[in-house]
Amino acid sequence: MTILWILLAAFIAACALGVVLSRSPITSAISLLVGFVGVGVLYLCLKAEFVAAVQVFVYAGGIMVLYVIGVMFTDSEALRLNRQTHMQAWPAFFLVLLLFLWMGHKLYHAEYKAVPSAITIAVATSPEDEARTKQALEAKAALARDTNPRQVSVALFSDYLYPFEAASVLLTVAVLGGIFLAKKEV
Amino acid sequence: MDFATIMQYVGWPLIKIVILLIPVFTVVAYMVWFERRLLAFFQSRLGPNRVGPLGLIQPIADGLKLFLKEDLVPLNSRPFLFKIAPIFAFFPAFVGFAIVSWALPWVTPSGKVHPFVVADVDLGILFVLAISSLSIFGIILAGWSSGSKYPLFGSLRSASQMLAYEVPLTLSVVAVVLLAGSFRLSDIVAAQQKMGWYYLFPGILAFGVYLVSAVAETNRVPFDLPEGESEIIGFHTEYSGMRFAWYFVGEYANVTLISVLGTTLFLGGYDIPFVNDATLYAAHPWLASILGVGVFAAKAALFAVFFIWIRATWPRYRYDQLLKIGWVVLLPIALANLVVVALLKLWLLR
Amino acid sequence: MNGVARFVKMVTFWELLKGMAITSRFLAKPKVTELYPDVRPVLPYRTKGRLHVEIGTCISCRMCEKACPEGCIKVFQPSKEVFKTDKRPVEFYLSQEHCLHCGLCVDACPTGSIHHSQEFEMAVYNPDDLLFDKETLPYDLDLKHFRWNWIENAPVKK
Ligand code: SF4
Ligand code: SF4
């Protein structure tokens, strides 16, 4: 599993490099697309199936299409011959490296608490109690019913409702602004 | 990793995939034959009836012909993209079959439940939608990499069409998901069996939206602007031989998939009408399973016949009308229907 | 009332359904397809099929050779002495490969020896098979297809 994960991460990283380093915009777009799908697979490995599907659906299937269409009509020989990197790349590279090191440090030393499931609690507190065992089994059944999309939606509409709504308001504002800018006469 | 684990994660899925793919390939191939014959009958013709009895070997002959044809790559094209583009059109249609639940789950004597699905994931229909949203790249890349203007415009038309119709299609599917409370196709069928009638009735609007956008999504008449077999130049103009065949097969696989999904979502899937499936299954499990698959195929065939029928009847839409129907008519209907279905679910069908 | 009817028609997709009903009627109708190799087609009287040459009545006048825009006819006249008694050509080449089926040779022929037939299946594996000479040229002795004055002889359509 670890080997698979490393391969996948390397693949995504290669795609990301392809996006940045490629000289032809369309190749960049294609590697971005493949990278999106790779990230989707990564989510699948983390058992976040819903997020994986949405990743593929929205990013790969929706946004990338618009990118590719845009690129298709602006693609030109002159663009392709341009250098893709310049001298600012080196300071930027070191800054990003620092950021990554800091993030890695933080993540490495973070404390992960395993969330005990209802079954383990129930069984651990009183293994002999029959009513408790029955309750535990029920909880297990409920857990089985608790599908991935359900978990996501419960989280989205209870704990994270305000950020969710705020994000949607932000997107609406962005859409309206885009229309305003694109339209010749209002 | 021992043998059992390998079997569980690699062996059995592979066997299931092969068992599923053989009939699916056959059905897709004969879909072409069926369409040509039925279309001919609608037009007072006979259709292909020479190769084999009733022309039944025609698909094989066609495939062989395309296989032996020269595989041309235009000088002006981007060869790599040109060569991989058909894969994008071909594989999403076939991957979608993985989550379709074909019959009642098989219950072993020891009480284990084996669903008749290749991959029984929670996501179900969402997975199909996500994968099939990738098929648009097959069209865009084909048009762009051909290095010619006409395919480029063809692919542009088709891209905007698919973008326009994916939204109502998804919303109509979401209505069904709301009613059933699950993305999983076997759960959706089970919910319909429990409710006693098919989602065709509470979701009639969603069904209509699904039908229209499914036709548009599969690029068929009256929404066949991307290809325009008879007069407009489509995105696969530069393709020949087997690469063209992938597009062709992909299109028919898409039609089959859309029929199968529509059957599951709105017509109760493998549920045998007027019969209590559970009791029948308890009495004769084999009979119930085989009948279920047969009924499923018959319902899906109804969809296919409908698609061919409208192809024989209706003229093509103009491009602006097509986009207008998608964004201005279907999208509001689908959204309103979503609200109605949500209220229905809240008050009536708890 | 009219408005209501139109609204109902619009909501029920009346026109679209009507179209589908019309096409569905054709499902049961007899088909117009002719099953060609099994059922031979009845060709019209004036079909310009493959050329037949009646060597027996040909007078080697070479009118057809002159008239042919494709130059696919070549007639070899007999020697002068023979010609006095027997006017038939010593050799007659006709290349169906280049023939346009234009009928100019037929119009030019003073004796009606060359004429179109109803034969139209001329597919061969080797193009050389389409070059005919005196021996291989098909002809019909009963002059069924005798096209002299064919306009007058044509059956009149009422
Ligand atoms: S039909 Fe026309 S082309 Fe043919 S041999 Fe006669 S004159 Fe020549
Ligand atoms: S025109 Fe008639 S008669 Fe004269 S050479 Fe030709 S076929 Fe013979």
Side-chain angles (χ1 to χ4, degrees), chain C residues 28-150:
Chain C
K29 275 194 182 170
K31 307 299 170 216
V32 296
T33 310
E34 288 179 0
L35 298 167
Y36 153 61
D38 306 336
V39 183
R40 307 296 303 185
V42 181
L43 294 173
Y45 177 74
R46 293 175 188 176
T47 302
K48 288 182 172 179
R50 171 197 195 155
L51 288 167
H52 284 200
V53 179
E54 184 60 54
I55 298 292
T57 56
C58 173
I59 53 168
S60 310
C61 65
R62 295 179 63 194
M63 293 297 274
C64 50
E65 190 182 322
K66 295 264 159 47
C68 179
E70 289 292 305
C72 47
I73 300 177
K74 187 96 187 112
V75 186
F76 291 91
Q77 289 170 328
S79 63
K80 253 183 193 154
E81 288 81 61
V82 179
F83 193 75
K84 279 175 192 146
T85 52
D86 184 5
K87 291 191 165 56
R88 289 178 300 164
V90 286
E91 191 50 284
F92 196 113
Y93 285 129
L94 188 133
S95 168
Q96 285 287 357
E97 192 189 346
H98 301 105
C99 177
L100 297 166
H101 300 265
C102 64
L104 289 177
C105 54
V106 178
D107 291 345
C109 180
T111 60
S113 301
I114 187 164
H115 54 80
H116 292 293
S117 69
Q118 304 257 319
E119 219 183 311
F120 61 93
E121 290 155 315
M122 283 177 282
V124 290
Y125 281 104
N126 189 352
D128 290 348
D129 293 351
L130 286 172
L131 178 66
F132 296 96
D133 61 19
K134 208 169 114 183
E135 266 69 50
T136 52
L137 261 177
Y139 60 93
D140 16 33
L141 265 177
D142 58 353
L143 295 186
K144 201 171 69 194
H145 299 289
F146 190 62
R147 300 289 285 273
W148 182 249
N149 286 345
W150 59 270

Side-chain angles (χ1 to χ4, degrees), chain B residues 38 40-47 49-50 306 309-310 312-314 317, chain C residues 16-17 19-21 23-24 26-27 29-33 35-38:
Chain B
L38 195 62
F41 273 68
F42 273 120
Q43 297 167 345
S44 288
R45 297 183 289 118
L46 282 175
N49 63 346
R50 288 287 159 184
F306 177 76
W309 194 354
I310 61 173
T313 308
W314 298 345
Y317 276 101
Chain C
L16 295 180
L17 293 179
M20 290 177 76
T23 38
S24 73
F26 277 85
L27 258 186
K29 275 194 182 170
K31 307 299 170 216
V32 296
T33 310
L35 298 167
Y36 153 61
D38 306 336

